[in-house]
Amino acid sequence: AQPAVLAGLVGDGVTPSLTPPMHMAEARAQGLAYVYRPIDLPGLGLRPEQLPEVLDWAERLGFTALNITHPCKRAVLELLDRVDPVAAALGAVNTVLFTPEGRAGFNTDTTGFAAAFRAGLPGAALGHVTQLGAGGAGSAVADALLRLGARRLTLVDIDPGRATALAAELAERHGARVEPASPAGVAEALAHSDGLVHCTPRGMRAHPGAPIDLGLLRPGLWVADIVYRPLDTELLRAARSLGCATLDGGGMAVFQAVDAFRLITGREADPARMLRSFRSL
Ligand code: SKM
């Protein structure tokens, strides 16, 4: 018999996460013995600085892999033996495999967004994309957009320093045209954009509302949101009412798990089945 897969999600506030049940439902459907537990640092009385201990113990206790989330995605890099080049360039890891050759790190947020985009907005024009939000999730998404072939990217953030720093880093890494903008520049940027990607917390249950003046949307623009609680945001509703092609945040949430499931189990997850289980949770 194959040994059971044992995985966990390490971070702050991970107990209600849908990733563990999503992985386990997919494994069950494939007849694979798989336990995936949330490992909530504050709930265990642990500080983020104790991540090295958590990794050591997980390894000793026989964990196959860990997903790593806020606030540990950057700090985990120095605890690994090998980091996938895409994750290393991003400076963020969300998947750690414990292998006989050591610990290997990957980033399935960025590969997951790219896969969700390909599946959900096939053929979407990538001449010029405007992205709202240049934080952790925004960095992973922007990197994915440039790997997907975006020729020009405008990065909008309420923190001008953050938008400027990320734009400079991405422009250098990808040799693409990436420019920072303030929220006041959104109208101008959108007027020339093929698509809009939203990567701020606005629209989440705790931060209701729309991230921009919805009057700036127009038919022909594609709109992607990474908010997944709720899946249907004010931004997406407004975009759909104009006939815009849209991608909801379930795509990234599911495909980061599809990519992690492949790395952890060596098996291909069924994205449609994972999306159904995600929606049912
Ligand atoms: O990178 C992902 C992580 O794999 C799972 C997760 C979650 O379930 O909250 C969030 C993201 O950070």
Side-chain angles (χ1 to χ4, degrees):
Q2 273 185 316
V5 176
L6 178 56
L9 172 62
V10 175
D12 184 340
V14 296
T15 310
S17 164
L18 302 182
T19 300
M22 205 171 18
H23 275 247
M24 290 209 289
E26 178 62 23
R28 252 190 325 275
Q30 297 198 20
L32 182 68
Y34 188 167
V35 176
Y36 186 129
R37 299 284 302 157
I39 300 174
D40 185 52
L41 296 175
L44 293 165
L46 294 167
R47 287 171 286 108
E49 301 76 60
Q50 287 171 285
L51 185 66
E53 292 169 44
V54 176
L55 257 70
D56 285 346
W57 274 108
E59 193 165 27
R60 279 194 231 171
L61 292 172
F63 273 72
T64 314
L66 295 173
N67 272 143
I68 308 288
T69 189
H70 179 76
C72 302
K73 288 186 186 187
R74 290 190 173 274
V76 73
L77 260 96
E78 63 189 62
L79 307 174
L80 306 175
D81 300 300
R82 188 167 71 76
V83 181
D84 168 77
V86 170
L90 259 178
V93 157
N94 83 324
T95 305
V96 173
L97 304 184
F98 298 108
T99 78
E101 294 77 40
R103 300 170 177 175
F106 302 85
N107 188 302
T108 72
D109 296 316
T110 191
T111 60
F113 179 81
F117 190 91
R118 276 191 227 101
L121 288 172
L126 286 163
H128 182 189
V129 180
T130 294
Q131 179 179 312
L132 310 173
S139 310
V141 167
D143 204 65
L145 289 167
L146 294 168
R147 289 198 314 282
L148 284 164
R151 287 196 299 283
R152 179 177 171 196
L153 181 62
T154 302
L155 281 179
V156 182
D157 200 281
I158 48 170
D159 176 345
R162 194 154 79 158
T164 304
L166 183 61
E169 189 188 310
L170 289 168
E172 187 182 332
R173 184 150 85 237
H174 293 276
R177 182 169 170 195
V178 189
E179 62 227 351
S182 73
V186 171
E188 158 77 9
L190 275 183
H192 315 120
S193 289
D194 299 299
L196 171 68
V197 186
H198 173 238
C199 305
T200 85
R202 184 64 57 201
M204 289 168 58
R205 286 202 218 296
H207 307 271
I212 53 164
D213 170 5
L214 296 173
L216 296 176
L217 300 178
R218 57 179 159 73
L221 192 73
W222 56 261
V223 179
D225 202 335
I226 69 162
V227 168
Y228 62 86
R229 271 181 187 156
L231 278 173
D232 204 20
T233 58
E234 264 186 51
L235 175 66
L236 291 181
R237 276 198 297 277
R240 273 201 317 271
S241 75
L242 291 170
C244 299
T246 61
L247 175 67
D248 71 36
M252 185 176 182
V254 165
F255 278 95
Q256 64 81 24
V258 167
D259 285 357
F261 190 91
R262 182 187 312 108
L263 289 166
I264 294 169
T265 67
R267 294 179 181 219
E268 208 53 49
D270 177 343
R273 182 164 58 203
M274 256 184 161
L275 184 60
R276 283 196 300 277
S277 79
F278 176 81
R279 285 174 178 274
S280 75
L281 287 165

